[in-house]
Amino acid sequence: MSAGAVIIGFTAMLVMMILSLPVAVIMVVTGVVGGTLIFGWPLVLSMGPVAWGVQNENILTAVPLFILLGELLLRSGLADRMYTALAVWFVRLPGGLLHTNIGASALFAATSGSSVATAATIGTVSLPNLMKRGYSPSRSLGSLAAGGTLGILIPPSVNLLIYGSLAETSIGQLFIAGIVPGLLLTLFFMLFIAVQSLVSPDPAQQVEEELLPLRERLKLARHLVPPLIIFLVVMGSIYLGIATPTESAALAVVVALIFIAVSGRLSLPLLDTCFRQSAKTTGMILMIVAAAFMLNVTLALGGAAQAMTTWVASFGLSATWLLLILIAFYLILGMFMDVLSMQVLTIPIALPVISAAGIDPVWFGIFVVLMCELGMITPPVGMNLYVVQGVRTDRGPFGDVVKGAIPYALIMILFTILLILVPEIVLWLPAQMR
């Protein structure tokens, strides 16, 4: 299979996506048709065992558990109390409650693993308060959309699980690698809010917020304990080698259920809603992943990876230039595709190319997730933009959220370039784990 054939196949898949065909159907059709044309019907018969094998993949068992964890925190009210506890500490900073949007998103991301869930949860809690206090709609919505993207970078992350499965890379290493970049990106977002508020103050900042007494703030801080403990259970058990990612996810669900029971909110209707929603989301994700593995059979047997590697190597690009080109490629792709589709379509082809260039697969996993984050806030298909606009109560123009998100997209691009120049930001902590 030549590089030209791979490009033609990839283009055909993009055309089918533009025609709004389901992603899983597109990948199965491409894999089956392409495999039949190259190898005949015997290859098609091998697709069944491949799909069965994916559904029995041990790593992917963690996906429904982390999704269930996010649903439990979202629907039990723990996220609401967490936001209130953070707000009383950030309210006097330049930017006020906008810092709370980022901080609460980062903390919720450390337990939910979902970008959309993070943006929807924090947006639902914070937007009424922000609008009541007269905060700029674009700044408020932009901070929520950008804060939500932290859900797929700060571990545990469903997208890192998918990458690890597709790239056959250690999930534990990927989770550990996401901690420092996730915290740094959170700080950069908050630094931008502070600088923007000092240079161009929001009218809401002219009204000095009431600061609760220290005793009251410390009392509210108890609501931060559940998400912090859940994060420590997940990452601590993996880092210390006590549990696999799947086992750590199960432990986290048990701890979350204990906290919900102690708060008096555990009920059969709550569990029924959480289990049903988790099953729907898991079914969608695993269907796409199974379709991706079926497509990968055709790509692997056809030598697509080797052809692409040879083609890219013929340009004589350095690793830095290759990554800069990939940033532009993912930026454009993210404008038209959802995150999961970007991952399953590009990773099997890109991974052999970057491996040949000497780029660490763990580092590349964080790079891909950052590019997926970027796709979440770039129009016209940026999912977080629509999620935040959807929870908005005043139904203002969609341009507000796009305008507010653009600076954060630029920060992500600059941050990715920083990671290219200083890869130790990603690789230092996993090296300590080894």
Side-chain angles (χ1 to χ4, degrees):
M1 184 183 295
S2 65
V6 177
I7 294 173
I8 291 172
F10 190 77
T11 303
M13 295 175 72
L14 290 178
V15 171
M16 286 189 280
M17 285 185 179
I18 293 173
L19 296 175
S20 300
L21 293 176
V23 175
V25 172
I26 292 170
M27 287 187 289
V28 170
V29 169
T30 305
V32 170
V33 172
T36 303
L37 291 175
I38 299 172
F39 304 103
W41 283 105
L43 179 72
V44 177
L45 299 177
S46 68
M47 294 294 186
V50 171
W52 175 258
V54 172
Q55 305 308 318
N56 287 276
E57 179 71 38
N58 182 56
I59 293 176
L60 294 178
T61 310
V63 172
L65 290 171
F66 281 124
I67 292 173
L68 176 60
L69 176 62
E71 287 291 328
L72 289 169
L73 295 173
L74 170 64
R75 301 180 188 280
S76 65
L78 289 176
D80 299 9
R81 297 191 289 275
M82 175 191 71
Y83 183 89
T84 302
L86 282 176
V88 298
W89 293 94
F90 290 148
V91 73
R92 285 288 184 90
L93 294 176
L97 291 179
L98 300 183
H99 290 287
T100 310
N101 291 346
I102 302 298
S105 294
L107 193 54
F108 189 77
T111 52
S112 73
S114 168
S115 180
V116 172
T118 301
T121 302
I122 305 304
T124 301
V125 175
S126 68
L127 273 178
N129 291 324
L130 293 168
M131 296 306 173
K132 183 173 67 175
R133 287 171 167 80
Y135 278 78
S136 164
S138 62
R139 294 186 184 185
S140 302
L141 296 167
S143 65
L144 288 167
T149 65
L150 298 170
I152 59 175
L153 178 59
I154 297 177
S157 165
V158 172
N159 293 82
L160 284 176
L161 279 167
I162 301 300
Y163 174 86
S165 177
L166 292 171
E168 297 182 356
T169 305
S170 166
I171 303 298
Q173 292 280 317
L174 289 168
F175 278 7
I176 297 298
I179 294 176
V180 175
L183 294 177
L184 276 179
L185 189 57
T186 301
L187 292 175
F188 285 168
F189 283 169
M190 296 178 74
L191 180 62
F192 166 73
I193 289 172
V195 172
Q196 184 186 44
S197 298
L198 291 172
V199 173
S200 177
D202 192 308
Q205 296 299 296
Q206 307 304 318
V207 180
E208 188 171 333
E209 294 278 358
E210 179 184 356
L211 188 64
L212 291 179
L214 179 61
R215 184 175 181 179
E216 291 295 323
R217 282 180 283 160
L218 291 175
K219 184 178 179 181
L220 286 171
R222 73 183 187 277
H223 297 307
L224 302 177
V225 172
L228 287 173
I229 289 181
I230 291 171
F231 176 76
L232 290 175
V233 166
V234 173
M235 300 311 302
S237 60
I238 293 175
Y239 189 85
L240 296 174
I242 298 173
T244 65
T246 301
E247 292 165 347
S248 70
L251 288 172
V253 169
V254 172
V255 173
L257 288 171
I258 292 173
F259 279 122
I260 295 170
V262 170
S263 69
R265 302 213 174 188
L266 187 62
S267 64
L268 286 178
L270 171 69
L271 293 177
D272 179 68
T273 302
C274 292
F275 286 140
R276 287 177 183 273
Q277 190 59 42
S278 299
K280 291 178 183 177
T281 306
T282 301
M284 179 270 294
I285 291 175
L286 293 185
M287 183 180 295
I288 293 175
V289 172
F293 272 86
M294 294 171 71
L295 174 61
N296 289 348
V297 171
T298 299
L299 294 176
L301 294 178
Q306 294 87 338
M308 289 301 296
T309 302
T310 303
W311 182 62
V312 172
S314 67
F315 292 102
L317 297 172
S318 66
T320 300
W321 274 107
L322 175 61
L323 290 170
L324 291 175
I325 291 172
L326 282 175
I327 289 176
F329 171 72
Y330 275 109
L331 178 61
I332 296 171
L333 205 62
M335 294 179 182
F336 305 100
M337 295 177 65
D338 65 273
V339 168
L340 192 56
S341 301
M342 286 172 60
Q343 281 191 288
V344 298
L345 287 177
T346 61
I347 289 171
I349 297 174
L351 193 63
V353 177
I354 66 101
S355 296
I359 299 170
D360 190 288
V362 172
W363 185 94
F364 187 67
I366 303 303
F367 173 88
V368 168
V369 167
L370 274 169
M371 293 299 97
C372 291
E373 280 189 327
L374 189 59
M376 297 293 288
I377 58 172
T378 50
V381 187
M383 183 61 69
N384 277 16
L385 303 179
Y386 293 98
V387 169
V388 172
Q389 178 71 10
V391 300
R392 187 176 180 180
T393 54
D394 63 349
R395 300 303 175 194
F398 182 67
D400 285 343
V401 63
V402 174
K403 177 183 175 183
I406 287 175
Y408 296 96
L410 295 176
I411 291 172
M412 286 183 188
I413 294 174
L414 294 174
F415 183 70
T416 305
I417 294 174
L418 174 64
L419 295 187
I420 293 173
L421 298 175
V422 191
E424 290 77 15
I425 294 174
V426 174
L427 298 176
W428 176 78
L429 198 55
Q432 306 309 307
M433 180 182 175
R434 295 191 189 102

